[in-house]
Amino acid sequence: MDAVDVPAVRAFWTSVLGYQHDPRAFVTDIYDPHRLNPVLFFQRMDASDTERRQHRNRIHVDLFVPYDQVHARIDAAVAAGGRTVTESAPRRTLIDREGNEVDIVTVHQA
């Protein structure tokens, strides 16, 4: 994932996904501690490279979580610098500081 502010974007995705930072020095990866989901790698972009930034891909992830985890994930993502865009159950959309989106989706408990 390309980012100008790698630490900020990485903090958002670590929080919302429940991932952990790779402990190796100079590695920007985050990973699922259960090793079931893909590793995410963050690549620093130069803020002055406007042409590249204009054409980069934005990320959109649909994240399905148990009902009892929805608010904790949203709160953690917002605390890490994210912003809620829409909040109408069962789908809530949040964005990181660089415009990448995640929809947190759940099925209501019966």
Side-chain angles (χ1 to χ4, degrees):
M1 193 179 294
D2 290 339
V4 172
D5 188 349
V6 169
V9 173
R10 186 170 73 160
F12 171 86
W13 288 98
T14 301
S15 297
V16 77
L17 296 175
Y19 273 32
Q20 295 180 352
H21 293 247
D22 187 303
R24 295 174 289 172
F26 305 106
V27 176
T28 61
D29 296 3
I30 62 174
Y31 65 92
D32 174 3
H34 302 289
R35 307 281 195 211
L36 299 173
N37 296 305
V39 170
L40 293 181
F41 169 77
F42 298 89
Q43 179 172 298
R44 183 170 308 283
M45 292 182 71
D46 186 340
S48 66
D49 191 351
T50 55
E51 183 176 343
R52 180 168 174 239
R53 289 182 65 210
Q54 189 174 26
H55 297 288
R56 74 178 177 156
N57 293 329
R58 294 281 193 268
I59 302 299
H60 179 99
V61 173
D62 288 332
L63 177 66
F64 291 81
V65 299
Y67 180 77
D68 61 346
Q69 293 182 19
V70 171
H71 294 292
R73 294 288 181 103
I74 292 170
D75 292 346
V78 170
R83 185 168 54 91
T84 302
V85 178
T86 61
E87 189 162 348
S88 58
R91 181 178 303 272
R92 290 106 169 144
T93 303
L94 292 91
I95 60 171
D96 68 19
R97 292 182 183 189
E98 298 195 19
N100 300 297
E101 297 181 344
V102 60
D103 281 344
I104 299 178
V105 184
T106 190
V107 176
H108 287 282
Q109 277 183 306

